Amino acid sequence: MDKQKSINALQFFVTNLSNQAFGHKLQGKVFADQGFEKLGAKYMGHHDEEMGWVDKFIGRLLDLGGELKHEMRPESKLINDPCEYIKFDHQVSVDGIELLRKCMNEICEDITTFDIMKEYLKDEEEDMYWSETQLDLIEKIGYQIGRASCRER
């Protein structure tokens, strides 16, 4: 088992997922402020869930003797339109799942890290399916009278 591969993978997910989680919290606040309380609560709850995964990844990284780093990511813009954000978040999930699967192939000899990432993959797939369901609902019932559907944008 190559511990450094696992440590590097875990640090990558700690950095990116913690930034993504904070973005979800901010988006949740934006949507709640716009009157979309349930959508706001969904994304603020998503923040908490993702930070739980960050904690698991940190714990495993430290168990492997890795040195945890506080890495910053580039600034990302908040999206005021809920439909546009769900589309954006869906694409993040699709891309993230692909990355996670590649990473899992690289660290498959580290069964403990692999199992943690496998559970995280299931969670990410559920999030992706939720976004797809929301986009399908918007497509079927309409986003707003006089506006193009969400998928057409």
Side-chain angles (χ1 to χ4, degrees):
M1 173 179 99
D2 185 345
K3 283 176 32 172
Q4 194 57 50
K5 276 186 183 179
S6 293
I7 290 168
N8 291 344
L10 290 162
Q11 180 63 56
F12 174 83
F13 284 103
V14 165
T15 298
N16 288 283
L17 188 55
S18 60
N19 282 299
Q20 183 178 337
F22 188 65
H24 279 138
K25 186 172 190 169
L26 295 176
Q27 285 294 160
K29 297 282 186 183
V30 167
F31 296 144
D33 184 63
Q34 292 175 348
F36 300 106
E37 289 88 8
K38 288 184 180 181
L39 187 60
K42 168 72 175 170
Y43 279 110
M44 285 185 272
H46 204 49
H47 163 269
D48 298 339
E49 180 183 315
E50 287 173 332
M51 290 308 294
W53 287 108
V54 169
D55 286 344
K56 288 180 183 182
F57 294 151
I58 289 171
R60 180 61 182 158
L61 187 153
L62 295 173
D63 287 347
L64 290 170
E67 183 180 327
L68 183 62
K69 300 172 191 165
H70 184 259
E71 299 174 321
M72 303 304 289
R73 299 289 302 160
E75 176 183 343
S76 59
K77 185 176 180 179
L78 295 176
I79 300 172
N80 287 316
D81 184 284
C83 186
E84 289 301 315
Y85 186 72
I86 293 170
K87 283 174 44 180
F88 169 79
D89 197 42
H90 176 261
Q91 190 59 53
V92 168
S93 291
V94 168
D95 295 343
I97 287 169
E98 183 179 333
L99 248 169
L100 183 56
R101 285 188 174 133
K102 287 178 183 175
C103 179
M104 289 170 68
N105 286 333
E106 291 290 316
I107 56 98
C108 63
E109 292 178 12
D110 177 357
I111 300 301
T112 303
T113 302
F114 182 87
D115 286 346
I116 294 169
M117 289 191 175
K118 182 179 171 185
E119 288 302 309
Y120 175 59
L121 174 64
K122 289 178 190 176
D123 185 64
E124 280 302 294
E125 286 176 337
E126 287 176 17
D127 294 339
M128 181 185 69
Y129 298 142
W130 180 87
S131 295
E132 288 173 356
T133 300
Q134 303 316 301
L135 293 170
D136 286 345
L137 281 172
I138 293 166
E139 183 69 26
K140 288 177 180 156
I141 63 174
Y143 180 63
Q144 182 179 23
I145 296 173
R147 291 182 74 168
S149 73
C150 189
R151 290 203 190 249
E152 291 174 1
R153 292 189 205 178

